[in-house]
Amino acid sequence: MTHRRSFLQTAFAGGLASVAITRDLYAQASGPIVIGHQIELTGGFSSWGYWHDKAAKAAAKLINEGGGIAGRRLDLVTEDTESNPAAGARKLRSLVQRNRASFIQGSVHSGVMLASIPLAAELKTIYFSTGEATEATGSRGSRWAFRTGSDTYSLAGAAAPWAFNNLGKTWTMIFPDYAWGHSHYQEHKAVIERLGGKVYDPIAVPLDARDLLPYLTRIPQDTEVLFSVFFGAQSIAFYTQAKSMGLARTMRMYSVSGTIEAIAPEDIDGAAEGVVVVENFPRVLSAKDDEFHREHLRLMEVDDVHAREASSRRVYAKSHAWQAWENLFLLKRAIESSGWRTKRDDPGVVEALEGMEMPNSLAHPQGAKTLRKQDHSGMVDTYISRVTNNVLAPVHKVTKESLAENLPPRFDFSTQAL
């Protein structure tokens, strides 16, 4: 126990494990702190939701082994959004009003996320988005909403200039017909046109479409870069059908991590070979080889090349689910530093989160980052990777400093009243 306690205190860093591990501390505190997890356990995003659930539970276990939060046990309560915005909003209300969750770890489904943010503001409850539609920390954000990970604004700003210079100047974008896809199109189109490139009319595909050939045949023949945004079964359909049409022979295939999230290239018979993908947390250990990354992989029970689960053939949805791990540690730090005890103390947690620096540690294995004060967005290192021999490995890194410099905040939520 002493060795384990010492390890946790060192690995978490920044005072995150400063509370001793004793039953007495729990006894002296005023009951558990309930954090709700609004998550996709069924429906189209369930292959990602499995990993968000596993990451959050593993983080909660570590936090409780380290003495909890300010000496109080963390109780993680999970509700399934069913990958449906209406159901997700109902589950959020249930977490706050029925389960008495003081804070919410939110959805990776952009539709659910955008339906939930105004409700969280109405309930005056801190809500952590994990989806990528930029509106969550943009036009539809609030002082109660935060996101440690990337969004479509930051992904376009970080990687689209590299893709423009290295892959091609004439783009076609194909994506699912919902918030996440449209947000990527708008942000990437703005960057490419600002750089002097050409962007053809978008191709929006219904969410239930599995035969993509009618949409793929609409791609202009002089397209140099085909930018795709899909997920799950539809992503597999895109890669396999695009390969059967030979599109990769005439254009460069470019995407974001969501398109290959929880998917192993070898499982789709090389259909993703050569595809360039923007990652938030590189799938291979070698891209960020340190003790915190290694320990995170061990606790998540995945290998260090393909991120496959040891007990199954599942692939870690690593570029998104790390937020489900890190956000709990971030909340722990903000709660402890602000002296929070009850919901009436929430404004202090909001203020503590705004501008918070996170050191590279076991609490933050994706790497050091900043939660920007103005727009509540995480400034994180971003990796541009390519599938080569069925391995997704980085070819270029965009640092968080470069990201922050080139992507000024477009909103300032810190001026809103609490």
Side-chain angles (χ1 to χ4, degrees):
M1 174 65 81
T2 300
H3 173 74
R4 177 68 171 165
R5 184 184 310 169
S6 176
F7 170 77
L8 290 174
Q9 290 174 339
T10 301
F12 292 157
L16 285 173
S18 60
V19 182
I21 308 172
T22 68
R23 288 194 181 95
D24 288 343
L25 279 177
Y26 287 136
Q28 292 166 12
S30 54
I33 293 175
V34 179
I35 297 179
H37 196 181
Q38 180 203 41
I39 187 176
E40 286 65 48
L41 295 176
T42 59
F45 272 89
S46 59
S47 62
W48 297 21
Y50 170 85
W51 290 104
H52 284 251
D53 186 46
K54 184 170 184 175
K57 287 176 177 175
K61 182 175 183 291
L62 274 180
I63 287 170
N64 283 329
E65 287 178 350
I69 301 177
R72 299 167 65 177
R73 187 179 72 249
L74 187 169
D75 278 0
L76 187 70
V77 179
T78 302
E79 285 278 7
D80 178 18
T81 73
E82 305 164 34
S83 301
N84 178 283
R90 288 197 306 273
K91 299 300 178 66
L92 171 61
R93 188 177 290 278
S94 176
L95 284 167
V96 175
Q97 295 182 335
R98 295 184 60 188
N99 294 286
R100 304 300 180 189
S102 296
F103 309 95
I104 300 295
Q105 164 94 278
S107 172
V108 73
H109 184 296
S110 287
V112 174
M113 174 181 72
L114 294 177
S116 298
I117 287 172
L119 179 56
E122 174 193 322
L123 297 170
K124 293 191 178 300
T125 297
I126 292 170
Y127 181 89
F128 273 90
S129 303
T130 58
E132 288 181 349
T134 194
E135 293 83 356
T137 46
S139 61
R140 294 171 68 178
S142 84
R143 196 160 185 197
W144 296 95
F146 295 85
R147 174 168 42 201
T148 48
S150 298
D151 64 355
T152 55
Y153 175 49
S154 64
L155 289 169
W162 182 93
F164 178 83
N165 290 324
N166 291 274
L167 303 181
K169 312 291 193 283
T170 303
W171 289 48
T172 297
M173 304 184 194
I174 183 169
F175 50 84
D177 192 8
Y178 98 117
W180 182 50
H182 287 282
S183 187
H184 268 296
Y185 167 71
Q186 292 162 4
E187 297 293 349
H188 282 78
K189 180 176 186 290
V191 173
I192 297 306
E193 290 185 342
R194 185 171 67 247
L195 293 172
K198 179 179 181 179
V199 179
Y200 279 111
D201 289 341
I203 303 173
V205 179
L207 279 169
D208 59 354
R210 292 296 176 265
D211 179 8
L212 303 189
L213 293 180
Y215 305 96
L216 294 174
T217 56
R218 290 164 49 187
I219 299 169
Q221 292 186 352
D222 63 339
T223 296
E224 295 176 326
V225 179
L226 179 59
F227 177 61
S228 64
V229 181
F230 292 101
F231 62 90
Q234 199 169 49
S235 187
I236 293 173
F238 167 77
Y239 281 127
T240 55
Q241 292 171 38
K243 181 184 179 183
S244 72
M245 290 180 62
L247 294 182
R249 292 197 294 269
T250 61
M251 58 192 71
R252 309 296 290 274
M253 309 290 280
Y254 178 69
S255 190
V256 291
S257 59
T259 303
I260 204 164
E261 195 74 293
I263 297 170
E266 64 180 346
D267 291 346
I268 52 176
D269 299 322
E273 189 69 15
V275 173
V276 175
V277 175
V278 187
E279 294 188 277
N280 301 314
F281 194 179
R283 191 171 292 187
V284 296
L285 170 66
S286 59
K288 180 186 177 290
D289 191 354
D290 59 39
E291 60 180 315
F292 308 123
H293 191 175
R294 288 193 296 272
E295 180 66 4
H296 177 73
L297 295 182
R298 187 188 72 79
L299 293 170
M300 291 298 291
E301 303 173 299
V302 299
D303 74 76
D304 60 10
V305 176
H306 304 289
R308 280 199 191 273
E309 191 174 35
S311 60
S312 73
R313 290 188 60 77
R314 293 178 186 264
V315 175
Y316 185 12
K318 194 176 180 184
S319 272
H320 293 82
W322 63 267
Q323 295 172 86
W325 171 293
E326 292 202 14
N327 289 345
L328 295 185
F329 288 100
L330 180 59
L331 274 169
K332 169 182 165 65
R333 185 174 168 196
I335 290 167
E336 292 178 344
S337 66
S338 68
W340 184 94
R341 293 189 65 81
T342 69
K343 284 288 290 177
R344 72 170 66 92
D345 302 321
D346 281 5
V349 178
V350 170
E351 292 168 350
L353 288 169
E354 291 176 331
M356 184 168 280
E357 299 284 343
M358 289 156 270
N360 183 38
S361 61
L362 184 56
H364 301 288
Q366 188 272 346
K369 57 185 62 66
T370 302
L371 190 58
R372 195 153 59 179
K373 178 179 179 178
Q374 297 94 328
D375 58 4
H376 293 188
S377 295
M379 294 293 104
V380 304
D381 291 337
T382 304
Y383 300 80
I384 301 172
S385 302
R386 178 180 284 113
V387 178
T388 304
N389 297 324
N390 287 326
V391 175
L392 184 61
V395 296
H396 182 71
K397 177 180 176 180
V398 179
T399 67
K400 61 185 183 303
E401 292 83 9
S402 175
L403 185 69
E405 181 180 350
N406 293 312
L407 291 175
R410 298 184 288 192
F411 296 86
D412 188 352
F413 302 118
S414 68
T415 62
Q416 294 180 355
L418 285 167

